Amino acid sequence: MRLSRFHLVTVKEVPADAEIASHRLMLRTGMIRKLAAGLYTWSPLGLRVLSKVETVVREEMNRAGALEVLMPSIQPKELWEETERWEKFGGQLLKITDRKGAEYCYGPTHEEVITDFARNELKSYKQLPVNFYQIQTKFRDEIRPRFGVMRAREFLMKDAYSFHLDTECLAREYHSMYDTYGRIFTRLGLRFRAVQADTGAIGGNASHEFQVLADSGEDAIAFSDASDYAANVEMAEALAPTVQRPAPSATLERVVTPQQKTIDEVSAFLDVNPAQCVKTILVRGREGLVALCVRGDHEINEVKAARLAELPGESVLADETAIVQVTGTRPGFIGPVGLPDSVPVIVDHSAAVIADFVCGGNLDGTHYRGANWERDARITHMADLRKVVEGDPSPDGHGTLKIARGIEVGHVFQLGPKYAQAMGASVLDAAGKAVQMQMGCYGIGVSRIVAAAIEQNHDAAGIIWPEPMAPWRVVICPINAAQNAQVREEAEKLYEELSARGVEVLLDDRGLRPGPMFADMELIGIPHRIVVSERGLTAGTFEYRRRHESTNQAIGRDQLSKLFA
Ligand code: ATP
Ligand code: MG
């Protein structure tokens, strides 16, 4: 590509809401332009990168035997009523009405549509297993669209859905997709980890997320320093301590803490370690309020809490009115000592083994010191309620946990019979009996990958593309070409030669001075740069530099040819 014929518009200033590097760099390079909140146009430069990701995803899905389809973005309400998701999906679902008053949504995902396709198309076990996928635009009305295409409202997803006669077959396809995802992210040149993930409302079955490692990631992942255990922190199990709870040695004493509500405030005020405090929150239970207790230095894990039998499937903080009504106390001063009998007290394993602790006094402006379980406070039962922290033992028994940040770029899921059941999708087995199909689903955030790759690969000058995603592999920068015919001719010759060999090469023939030209090429992150200058030509060399290196090499034409063989 000759840059003079391309559309490249780089900018220095970006809006203040571009908080993370990838968002800033995608705007500065002009890869994307914002249309409205969470809606972006991909420019020719951006689309070159997006298409590369798409190609790798498509090639590997095809290689794994999945079959490409293309479903409509707009989906009828009736299908979503069959699975009861028209209401349950919540505010993310963009609902649309046509001129006849019929209701639709813009697809945030396609389980309903594919299951409808499958129940009509698949009649016999002989057609199974089968895995259908598409690469298509989704819309989710995210509460907080942010970070550019990382959390957009309209975005490009690869979604695949597999159908099986039994769970063994589903498990085999799941593993095949797991391996396929590994190949995709490896081919794209990303550093990633597959981590065990929460299965959410669907429950029970296996699920893994693929996380690109980057400090700005929204997800926290826990991994062992001694084994391949890795899980989303939402999911990572905190092992119960093996120590026994010490016997009480202090007497229970109420202390006045007029303004101190948080653990930090209370522990500083009373000069105790937060690990010697018990933090209590009240959540809405199936019947009335439920108290959840963790150690002061730990945090409640809402995903784990939501699984408690006492809770209605989600963990929602009780509102202040309800708290005051039941306990007579405002939030900030709640503790397990003296709570009404109607409130179950569920205690995290780590909080259950401390003695002589500090906790809320169940009286405004007070806390207790020297509190002890059983003697002063009931334990209805113990549970794993907290988020793991760095240094916790790994749940697989090998090593200790470390915590890293990640960006979720893919998710594989054994759905089981959920959608087939709700929508009546069955096939006849070998004995002629109707059997409900087992389903798997497998998503990749194609557009999010572009942002994630930048998040992981950039420096102060701009993007450093992993080669497989770069818009071009090589850029040729002629210096002073307008004044120097030989420079011009050599640059052209090199450009033609590399192009003829199928190398994706960009010729910067805009006639810019070296400074701005190099700055643009570093900003857009081209992996290899070849400078053609009068000085070099006199010496019989080109100046060559890789994007992630800071020094030039003078290399001859033969060597250059070998580099891009
Ligand atoms: P998240 O937890 O980030 O909201 P999700 O669990 O809702 O993701 P899935 O429903 O599993 O995501 O969708 C499959 C993939 O689509 C995700 O792994 C992610 O890479 C991508 N994705 C999801 N939401 C968005 C979004 N708002 N913008 C861009 N990509 C997205
Ligand atoms: Mg989401």
Side-chain angles (χ1 to χ4, degrees):
M1 177 64 69
R2 288 167 202 279
L3 193 43
S4 61
R5 315 301 297 273
F6 193 74
H7 176 83
L8 178 68
V9 180
T10 60
V11 292
K12 288 219 164 61
E13 301 298 325
V14 294
D17 70 352
E19 297 166 58
I20 59 169
S22 60
H23 190 187
R24 282 197 296 273
L25 287 169
M26 289 184 81
L27 291 171
R28 284 189 57 202
T29 55
M31 288 178 68
I32 53 168
R33 294 290 181 225
K34 181 171 169 177
L35 175 66
L39 302 178
Y40 292 88
T41 296
W42 290 79
S43 73
L45 178 70
L47 191 61
R48 280 186 78 92
V49 178
L50 185 65
S51 302
K52 295 211 162 173
V53 177
E54 197 178 323
T55 301
V56 170
V57 171
R58 182 175 281 113
E59 284 177 5
E60 293 300 333
M61 289 303 290
N62 291 344
R63 190 205 301 267
L67 304 174
E68 188 165 2
V69 295
L70 184 58
M71 294 176 263
S73 305
I74 307 291
Q75 310 181 7
K77 172 186 179 183
E78 291 69 30
L79 278 185
W80 284 71
E81 285 180 328
E82 289 188 47
T83 58
E84 294 176 1
R85 291 212 293 181
W86 185 254
E87 298 305 331
K88 277 195 196 149
F89 206 88
Q92 288 204 7
L93 196 64
L94 178 66
K95 297 175 178 174
I96 308 165
T97 308
D98 75 6
R99 66 171 83 200
K100 294 188 179 130
E103 290 185 87
Y104 298 84
C105 66
Y106 193 116
T109 178
H110 277 70
E111 282 83 7
E112 281 79 2
V113 179
I114 198 72
T115 307
D116 180 59
F117 180 74
R119 71 181 166 189
N120 295 323
E121 295 284 316
L122 305 174
K123 304 287 180 203
S124 156
Y125 73 99
K126 289 183 188 154
Q127 293 170 286
L128 302 183
V130 65
N131 187 346
F132 298 116
Y133 80 97
Q134 64 173 350
I135 298 177
Q136 195 225 31
T137 298
K138 301 280 187 267
F139 190 95
R140 293 182 183 178
D141 203 354
E142 300 275 358
I143 295 177
R144 264 191 87 195
R146 57 182 187 154
F147 304 153
V149 298
M150 189 82 87
R151 183 167 297 285
R153 294 200 296 165
E154 187 173 319
F155 59 97
L156 193 62
M157 193 199 285
K158 185 284 297 173
D159 45 328
Y161 308 88
S162 68
F163 294 87
H164 310 268
L165 197 60
D166 54 44
T167 51
E168 289 74 33
C169 183
L170 167 60
R172 276 196 300 280
E173 182 64 11
Y174 181 82
H175 286 116
S176 158
M177 281 294 111
Y178 181 98
D179 293 343
T180 299
Y181 276 32
R183 271 199 299 279
I184 290 170
F185 298 121
T186 304
R187 256 187 79 181
L188 290 171
L190 298 170
R191 295 183 300 285
F192 69 96
R193 272 197 102 123
V195 307
Q196 294 172 25
D198 176 41
T199 49
I202 294 159
N205 299 324
S207 166
H208 284 86
E209 288 165 359
F210 286 75
Q211 298 272 358
V212 163
L213 304 174
D215 291 339
S216 59
E218 287 186 293
D219 287 357
I221 62 184
F223 59 96
S224 164
D225 61 1
S227 73
D228 61 5
Y229 175 86
N232 194 310
V233 162
E234 285 183 343
M235 168 82 183
E237 183 190 354
L239 294 182
T242 47
V243 295
Q244 293 286 319
R245 176 168 64 226
S249 66
T251 47
L252 184 67
E253 170 197 4
R254 195 189 282 283
V255 284
V256 176
T257 51
Q259 305 299 334
Q260 291 70 31
K261 294 182 170 182
T262 66
I263 291 288
D264 282 350
E265 290 163 356
V266 172
S267 61
F269 185 71
L270 299 178
D271 194 23
V272 290
N273 190 325
Q276 269 306 116
C277 301
V278 165
K279 175 158 63 187
T280 307
I281 65 161
L282 291 173
V283 294
R284 288 192 221 151
R286 283 184 197 280
E287 303 151 24
L289 301 187
V290 176
L292 306 178
C293 298
V294 296
R295 231 166 61 182
D297 58 333
H298 288 151
E299 275 181 59
I300 299 261
N301 180 326
E302 288 174 0
V303 171
K304 291 177 181 175
R307 292 199 201 111
L308 292 169
E310 291 85 352
L311 265 58
E314 56 176 351
S315 167
V316 182
L317 284 179
D319 49 50
E320 188 163 339
T321 330
I323 294 176
V324 173
Q325 208 170 45
V326 174
T327 66
T329 316
R330 282 181 300 132
F333 304 104
I334 305 293
V337 179
L339 275 179
D341 288 344
S342 63
V343 179
V345 181
I346 304 171
V347 184
D348 179 70
H349 296 296
S350 298
V353 294
I354 59 174
D356 304 333
F357 54 83
V358 167
C359 61
N362 289 330
L363 181 65
D364 283 355
T366 71
H367 277 75
Y368 282 117
R369 212 206 276 271
N372 280 278
W373 295 115
E374 314 294 358
R375 188 191 71 181
D376 311 315
R378 262 176 316 118
I379 297 183
T380 307
H381 68 87
M382 289 180 288
D384 175 12
L385 281 184
R386 68 176 176 94
K387 288 186 184 156
V388 293
V389 294
E390 193 145 314
D392 277 342
S394 177
D396 68 348
H398 301 288
T400 53
L401 291 180
K402 291 199 167 308
I403 309 280
R405 308 289 313 175
I407 300 167
E408 181 196 323
V409 289
H411 198 170
V412 293
F413 215 122
Q414 294 189 29
L415 288 172
K418 178 180 156 112
Y419 290 91
Q421 222 158 42
M423 298 182 61
S426 56
V427 293
L428 298 181
D429 67 9
K433 189 166 76 66
V435 179
Q436 236 142 38
M437 288 186 278
Q438 298 286 328
M439 256 177 96
C441 74
Y442 319 93
I444 287 187
V446 177
S447 45
R448 181 181 283 184
I449 286 176
V450 176
I454 298 174
E455 227 28 76
Q456 196 176 64
N457 301 281
H458 69 271
D459 63 12
I463 303 169
I464 309 176
W465 287 116
E467 268 190 52
M469 292 178 65
W472 294 276
R473 202 168 155 212
V474 194
V475 59
I476 300 170
C477 299
I479 307 291
N480 246 335
Q483 279 78 45
N484 190 319
Q486 202 198 352
V487 165
R488 210 159 53 233
E489 282 157 23
E490 280 297 326
E492 281 287 336
K493 236 167 74 186
L494 195 58
Y495 173 68
E496 295 297 344
E497 183 193 319
L498 290 176
S499 302
R501 292 202 346 230
V503 178
E504 284 189 299
V505 53
L506 181 67
L507 174 64
D508 193 346
D509 57 350
R510 295 175 298 171
L512 293 191
R513 284 178 299 106
M517 173 162 57
F518 294 164
D520 270 355
M521 294 305 109
E522 286 179 2
L523 182 66
I524 69 171
I526 311 298
H528 305 270
R529 182 180 82 192
I530 302 167
V531 177
V532 184
S533 67
E534 186 175 335
R535 192 164 39 132
L537 292 179
T538 313
T541 57
F542 298 96
E543 241 180 51
Y544 167 72
R545 187 195 280 201
R546 299 196 56 169
R547 176 62 182 84
H548 62 262
E549 287 169 355
S550 52
T551 52
N552 293 322
Q553 281 172 264
I555 62 174
R557 179 173 264 283
D558 291 352
Q559 230 182 324
L560 202 60
S561 293
K562 274 188 221 135
L563 269 181
F564 302 106

